[in-house]
């Protein structure tokens, strides 16, 4: 029986190159015109119509004055409601605080909870701005390499336990779903991490920004929902920006589990770390409250695209090692079996005119890896895959 034809999805596959290149955001604006970008983690799709409508209504109302939020923005209640409905987590709205983006959330938590020279454990590979944050803040980074197995990427619990114990780590930065490998940790795996955190009294800073981009049957489980102990030691970071393509709205939330840390945060001068824009709050609320239909279409497209990346590279570059992502719109590709004589990011850009991410910014042992962003139209993705396969295919053996 022949496979069903691949159909375009209106609003997601009708993206013209001229329209994409005319955008002012960094993904398409920075590269030269003949380069196909699949690097920074922005999606190419137009933002959800409910968000457009909400922002237009706010601007048409001609009111951009100071918001009347004496007890915090409406995001606090909306976040708790969404966590309960999506993940069965009874998060407390009273423990939510707004920040401008996820990196700022992490930096503030590390600033309040750790000191100069303290050790912090992280999964590697990892999101480069997180690793750069630890270096800039002079926190001792304790990398815990994930294991590349025949069944996909896995956490090395023994290595995590050993690293935390030897270095006396104060915190663990947990990225789940994981960027860049696309793993979604199971309840059992999260339970292993929770046991290590309890044994060594670790603060867990859990980046869950990709939570709503998990593909069935995989399901995100908030770390703080595991147990009372996990809830008391976990700070959860998230935003609507990844799941709804809203990076530039500069709006994120932090849910503080530890009482002492929340009190310390609230004791800071109220505007020292900035405040979120009312338009950012408007966009986030519109996405969470009215964007689910758009997101269902998005996940249909991303699921199709992740499978296409996996199949195309398996067929055209058999030695290249990669796993089907369980979440996110990022594929993590190991080019080392191809025996390249130079970093793959540089080769693919020079010879294929495709800009990908990868390499040492993602941490130890990331040389030879590429991160490919597949959140684009079918036509653009096919062009990217064809260029990558042609360039790397000549380097086999």
């Amino acid at each position: 029986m022949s496979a069903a034809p691949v159909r375009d999805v209106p609003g997601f596959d009708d993206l013209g190159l001229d329209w994409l290149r005319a955008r002012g955001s960094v993904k398409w604006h920075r590269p030269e015109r003949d380069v196909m970008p699949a690097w920074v983690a922005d999606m190419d799709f137009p933002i959800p119509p409910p968000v457009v409508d909400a922002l237009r209504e706010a601007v048409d109302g001609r009111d951009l004055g100071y918001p009347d939020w004496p007890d915090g923005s409406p995001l606090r209640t909306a976040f708790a409601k969404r966590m309960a409905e999506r993940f069965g987590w009874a998060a407390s709205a009273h423990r939510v605080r707004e920040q401008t983006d996820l990196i700022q959330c992490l930096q503030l938590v590390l600033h309040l909870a750790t000191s100069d020279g303290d050790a912090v454990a992280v999964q590697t590979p990892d999101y480069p701005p997180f690793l750069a944050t630890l270096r800039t803040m002079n926190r001792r980074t304790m990398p815990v390499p994930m294991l590349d197995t025949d069944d996909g990427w896995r956490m090395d619990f023994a290595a995590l336990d050993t690293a935390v114990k030897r270095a006396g780590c104060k915190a663990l930065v947990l990225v789940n779903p994981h960027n860049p490998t696309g793993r979604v940790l199971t309840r059992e795996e999260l339970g292993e991490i929770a046991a290590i955190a309890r044994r060594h009294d670790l603060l867990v800073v859990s980046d869950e920004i990709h939570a709503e981009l998990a593909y069935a049957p995989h399901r995100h489980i908030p770390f703080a929902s595991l147990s009372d102990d996990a809830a008391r030691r976990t700070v959860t970071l998230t935003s609507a920006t990844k799941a709804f393509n809203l990076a530039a709205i500069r709006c994120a939330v932090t849910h503080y589990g530890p009482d002492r840390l929340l009190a310390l945060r609230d004791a800071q001068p109220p505007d020292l770390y900035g405040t979120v824009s009312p338009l950012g709050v408007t966009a986030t609320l519109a996405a969470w409250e009215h964007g689910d239909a758009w997101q269902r279409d998005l996940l249909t497209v991303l699921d199709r695209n992740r499978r296409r990346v996996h199949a195309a590279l398996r067929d055209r570059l058999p030695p290249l090692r990669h796993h089907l992502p369980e979440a996110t719109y990022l594929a993590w590709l190991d080019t080392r079996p191809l025996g390249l004589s130079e970093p793959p990011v540089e080769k693919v850009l020079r010879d294929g005119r495709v800009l990908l991410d990868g390499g040492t910014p993602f941490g130890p042992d990331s040389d030879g890896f590429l991160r490919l962003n597949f959140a684009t139209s079918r036509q653009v993705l096919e062009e990217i895959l064809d260029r990558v396969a042609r360039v790397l295919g000549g380097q086999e053996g």
Side-chain angles (χ1 to χ4, degrees):
M1 181 181 233
S2 61
V6 176
R7 294 183 174 86
D8 288 349
V9 178
F12 294 88
D13 284 316
D14 46 1
L15 309 178
L17 285 177
D18 288 341
W19 179 79
L20 288 167
R21 288 177 176 136
R23 301 173 76 174
S25 52
V26 66
K27 181 181 180 183
W28 282 86
H29 188 264
R30 180 173 295 178
E32 296 178 12
R33 187 170 179 82
D34 66 328
V35 170
M36 301 295 283
W39 59 300
V40 69
D42 271 354
M43 295 189 276
D44 285 344
F45 313 120
I47 63 177
V51 175
V52 175
D53 293 342
L55 290 173
R56 183 175 289 122
E57 181 179 348
V59 173
D60 287 347
R62 301 181 182 183
D63 183 7
L64 292 178
Y66 294 115
D68 185 15
W69 297 336
D71 299 315
S73 82
L75 284 181
R76 300 183 181 188
T77 300
F79 169 81
K81 182 173 184 286
R82 194 160 184 86
M83 293 302 101
E85 292 176 349
R86 280 294 180 105
F87 308 114
W89 173 31
S92 169
H94 301 294
R95 292 182 173 274
V96 176
R97 299 295 181 266
E98 310 84 358
Q99 299 295 155
T100 58
D101 64 28
L102 208 79
I103 299 170
Q104 186 194 39
C105 293
L106 173 66
Q107 292 171 352
L108 175 54
V109 170
L110 291 175
H111 174 69
L112 296 177
T114 65
S115 301
D116 189 82
D118 281 348
V120 177
V122 294
Q123 304 147 291
T124 54
D126 210 315
Y127 180 49
F130 282 5
L131 297 174
T133 285
L134 294 172
R135 290 194 301 271
T136 303
M137 295 184 68
N138 197 32
R139 272 41 173 186
R140 286 188 293 131
T141 304
M142 298 305 300
V144 182
M146 294 184 71
L147 302 175
D148 183 4
T149 74
D150 290 340
D151 295 324
W153 291 92
R154 295 290 182 265
M155 286 286 293
D156 188 337
F157 302 114
L160 174 62
D161 189 68
T162 299
V164 167
K165 183 177 180 179
R166 286 180 178 172
C169 290
K170 296 293 184 64
L172 164 67
V173 177
L174 179 68
V175 181
N176 180 50
H178 188 246
N179 174 6
T181 68
R183 261 308 314 279
V184 178
L185 297 177
T186 65
R187 183 175 295 277
E188 290 72 25
E189 290 172 313
L190 293 171
E192 293 273 5
I193 297 170
I196 293 170
R198 182 172 61 252
R199 186 156 57 245
H200 300 290
D201 195 22
L202 279 177
L203 172 71
V204 178
V205 186
S206 188
D207 164 21
E208 302 184 7
I209 197 170
H210 289 278
E212 296 188 13
L213 297 177
Y215 307 105
H218 307 286
R219 180 170 174 78
H220 173 72
I221 300 169
F223 190 83
S225 71
L226 292 175
S227 66
D228 289 343
D229 180 80
R232 286 191 294 268
R233 69 174 64 255
T234 302
V235 176
T236 304
L237 317 179
T238 196
S239 169
T241 54
K242 293 301 180 194
F244 293 95
N245 200 28
L246 303 172
I249 64 168
R250 295 300 192 196
C251 187
V253 294
T254 305
H255 182 278
Y256 288 84
D259 291 336
R260 181 192 65 81
L261 192 55
L262 177 60
L264 187 59
R265 190 260 183 245
D266 286 347
Q268 304 298 300
D271 296 329
L272 179 61
Y273 305 104
T275 58
V276 292
S277 163
L279 292 179
V281 172
T282 294
T284 301
L285 291 175
W288 282 348
E289 294 172 358
H290 306 293
D292 287 352
W294 180 91
Q295 193 186 74
R296 284 193 293 272
D297 288 340
L298 169 71
L299 285 168
T300 297
V301 171
L302 294 182
D303 185 27
R304 178 201 69 194
N305 285 2
R306 72 175 178 132
R307 295 177 187 278
R308 177 56 186 153
V309 171
H310 191 65
L313 296 179
R314 179 191 59 207
D315 294 343
R316 297 188 61 178
L317 293 170
L320 186 145
R321 187 169 175 82
H322 53 103
H323 302 286
L324 187 68
E326 298 171 353
T328 80
Y329 44 86
L330 307 166
W332 188 238
L333 315 176
D334 184 358
T335 72
R336 293 175 299 178
L338 301 178
L340 302 179
S341 60
E342 62 182 303
V345 171
E346 297 176 13
K347 179 168 183 59
V348 169
L349 177 58
R350 186 191 65 239
D351 297 341
R353 307 305 286 163
V354 176
L355 179 57
L356 302 179
D357 222 333
T360 55
F362 287 82
D365 301 319
S366 292
D367 285 344
F369 282 84
L370 292 170
R371 192 187 73 172
L372 188 153
N373 176 350
F374 54 80
T376 190
S377 70
R378 182 176 61 83
Q379 297 89 338
V380 171
L381 181 61
E382 289 297 335
E383 178 66 22
I384 289 169
L385 291 173
D386 184 62
R387 293 188 188 191
V388 170
R390 280 191 285 108
V391 170
L392 296 184
Q395 294 292 321
E396 296 180 19

